[in-house]
């Protein structure tokens, strides 16, 4: 799907976009966020065995949010099972009480909104696309493996997927998350053209 | 006298962008590219690092570790950090570790040249 140079450029573009995401996340939780160097994998589909291989078979929480505009697709974010608890704790919410589960879900969805917004907006800005619109983020699964989470969530036939493996870690906490970006084929061609233009200009 | 410059970034696109943004007044330079912190330190040990443009998030050895090692070695290398991690605390941390300046990505020619001027390389 992508050449090595195109993947290198996209990886750097996502790196910059995720840096902005980390900055927003850090402001939300008032804690320094440690960013890893992103790795990008081109996948044939969400069912690509590489995905489970990369993300393992430990239980996760998965959220999703779609985007439309010059770029069309969907981002799925995988959080560690303790991610919501860690966030709630960082933000001073009690882990007990009837509202605890609702608060944790809201936090995970807030973080999804921040990261997907930063990722797709960052991609759009750097490749000179107009802004995308976003759906409301939703919870996909909780307490299942990646394979189970995606079992009934096949990509549309005209889509391709990019796995952006980037870890957001919070020092002294177990919080981490990874992003799966699914881009519609029609948008892939647009991205490839824009990346080639960027590469040509350097 | 030749100025030895290291451009350390895991992205070849970023390495090229930084190289192309260097001001033409810096004509007598020898540039070494490093794809990670380890290669950046190898360049330092080889005496090829008067100036280092350093990314923070790199595989094998990150930019923070490079800064710590340079500090421990009491190196005279002038380090300009160029990073996507634009958290204010990241900037404070690298400056505390001895970096001369911080530039948030995406780097522009104008900003890079201004910072180079600010830190006295021109």
């Amino acid at each position: 799907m992508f050449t090595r140079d195109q993947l290198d450029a996209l990886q750097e573009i996502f790196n910059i976009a995720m840096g902005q995401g980390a900055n927003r996340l850090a402001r939300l939780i008032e804690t320094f966020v440690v960013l890893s160097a992103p790795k990008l994998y081109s996948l044939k589909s969400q069912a690509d065995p590489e995905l489970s291989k990369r993300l393992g078979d430990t239980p996760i929480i998965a959220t999703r949010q779609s985007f439309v505009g010059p770029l069309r697709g969907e981002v799925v974010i995988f959080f560690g099972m303790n991610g919501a608890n860690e966030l709630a704790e960082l933000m001073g919410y009690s882990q007990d009480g009837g509202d605890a589960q609702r608060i944790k879900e809201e936090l995970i969805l807030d973080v999804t909104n921040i990261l997907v917004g930063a990722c797709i907006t960052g991609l759009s800005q750097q490749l000179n696309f107009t802004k995308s619109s976003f759906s409301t983020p939703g919870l996909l699964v909780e307490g299942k493996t990646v394979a189970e989470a995606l079992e009934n969530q096949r990509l549309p036939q005209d889509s391709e997927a990019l796995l952006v493996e980037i870890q957001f870690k919070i020092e002294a906490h177990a919080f981490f998350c990874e992003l799966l970006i699914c881009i519609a084929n029609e948008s892939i061609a647009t991205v490839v053209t824009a990346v080639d233009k960027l590469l040509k200009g350097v | 006298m030749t100025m030895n410059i290291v451009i350390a970034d895991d992205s070849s696109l970023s390495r090229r962008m930084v190289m192309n943004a260097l001001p033409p007044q810096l004509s007598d330079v020898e540039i070494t590219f490093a794809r990670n912190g380890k290669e950046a330190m190898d360049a330092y040990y080889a005496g090829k690092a008067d100036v280092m443009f350093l990314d923070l998030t790199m595989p094998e050895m990150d930019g923070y570790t490079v800064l710590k090692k340079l500090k421990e070695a009491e190196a005279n290398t002038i380090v300009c950090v160029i990073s996507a991690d634009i958290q204010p605390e990241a900037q404070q941390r690298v400056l505390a570790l001895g970096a001369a300046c911080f530039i948030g990505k995406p780097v522009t020619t104008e900003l890079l040249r201004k910072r180079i001027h600010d830190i006295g390389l021109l």
Side-chain angles (χ1 to χ4, degrees):
Chain A
M1 180 167 66
F2 295 106
T3 65
R4 196 173 162 177
D5 278 351
Q6 289 166 345
L7 273 178
D8 174 82
L10 275 172
Q11 191 160 293
E12 183 59 6
I13 287 166
F14 281 118
N15 181 36
I16 292 169
M18 290 295 89
Q20 289 163 356
N23 191 35
R24 287 182 206 162
L25 181 59
R27 273 190 270 163
L28 175 76
I29 59 179
E30 296 179 346
T31 305
F32 183 63
V33 175
V34 182
L35 264 177
S36 72
K39 289 180 189 161
L40 211 64
Y41 302 92
S42 174
L43 305 176
K44 289 184 181 71
S45 73
Q46 281 185 2
D48 196 314
E50 182 71 14
L51 188 57
S52 292
K53 201 174 99 189
R54 301 298 321 167
L55 295 173
D57 54 5
T58 53
I60 43 93
I61 298 172
T63 58
R64 68 196 303 179
Q65 188 169 17
S66 56
F67 51 92
V68 291
L71 291 178
R72 189 169 66 83
E74 183 175 70
V75 180
V76 179
I77 305 187
F78 304 101
F79 296 90
M81 271 304 287
N82 284 332
N85 290 335
E86 294 281 348
L87 281 176
E89 189 184 312
L90 273 165
M91 297 184 72
Y93 290 110
S94 163
Q95 303 264 347
D96 306 318
D99 280 349
Q101 183 62 24
R102 183 184 56 78
I103 288 169
K104 281 190 280 185
E105 273 185 28
E106 280 179 10
L107 282 175
I108 283 288
L109 294 177
D110 276 348
V111 172
T112 300
N113 209 18
I114 286 170
L115 296 184
V116 175
C119 179
I120 301 303
T121 303
L123 178 70
S124 299
Q125 282 173 346
Q126 291 175 76
L127 294 179
N128 292 319
F129 297 145
T130 52
K131 277 187 180 175
S132 295
S133 302
F134 299 92
S135 70
T136 307
L139 191 66
L140 187 59
V141 292
E142 186 171 352
K144 294 188 174 180
T145 65
V146 169
E148 287 168 341
L150 299 176
E151 200 171 34
N152 298 314
Q153 304 292 332
R154 296 283 177 264
L155 276 173
Q157 281 190 338
D158 64 343
S159 294
E160 300 277 356
L162 281 172
L163 174 65
V164 181
E165 199 175 74
I166 184 163
Q167 289 200 334
F168 291 88
K169 284 186 187 167
I170 296 167
E171 286 175 335
H173 291 269
F175 176 85
F176 75 92
C177 63
E178 304 211 23
L179 283 80
L180 174 69
I181 300 165
C182 309
I183 302 176
N185 252 352
E186 70 201 40
S187 301
I188 290 278
T190 312
V191 170
V192 167
T193 304
V195 168
D196 284 344
K197 195 176 166 190
L198 178 72
L199 286 168
K200 219 176 237 180
V202 176
Chain B
M1 203 169 96
T2 303
M3 184 186 286
N4 293 295
I5 296 177
V6 178
I7 301 176
D9 200 305
D10 55 325
S11 160
S12 66
L13 174 70
S14 272
R15 292 195 298 270
R16 275 186 289 160
M17 285 174 94
V18 172
M19 183 183 71
N20 292 342
L22 292 175
Q25 297 96 310
L26 288 180
S27 54
D28 188 11
V29 295
E30 186 179 325
I31 297 174
T32 303
F33 291 118
R35 292 170 297 178
N36 54 54
K38 194 178 165 299
E39 290 183 1
M41 286 309 298
D42 287 345
Y44 165 71
Y45 294 130
K48 299 283 185 187
D50 300 321
V51 178
M52 191 181 287
F53 295 99
L54 179 69
D55 185 22
L56 289 180
T57 51
M58 292 185 290
E60 289 195 54
M61 185 189 290
D62 64 18
Y64 290 107
T65 308
V66 172
L67 284 167
K68 282 175 196 160
K69 283 182 177 290
L70 290 174
K71 195 172 186 182
E72 281 164 14
E74 297 180 0
N76 289 324
T77 304
I78 297 168
V79 182
C80 185
V81 170
I82 301 178
S83 176
D85 188 351
I86 53 170
Q87 296 174 78
E89 194 170 334
Q91 299 179 38
Q92 289 162 14
R93 286 184 183 199
V94 299
L95 294 176
L97 284 169
C101 68
F102 181 97
I103 301 173
K105 286 183 178 178
V107 65
T108 62
T109 300
E110 190 184 25
L111 187 58
L112 184 76
R113 289 181 181 180
K114 185 176 183 310
R115 287 287 178 274
I116 284 173
H117 183 265
D118 291 347
I119 60 177
L121 288 180
L122 280 180

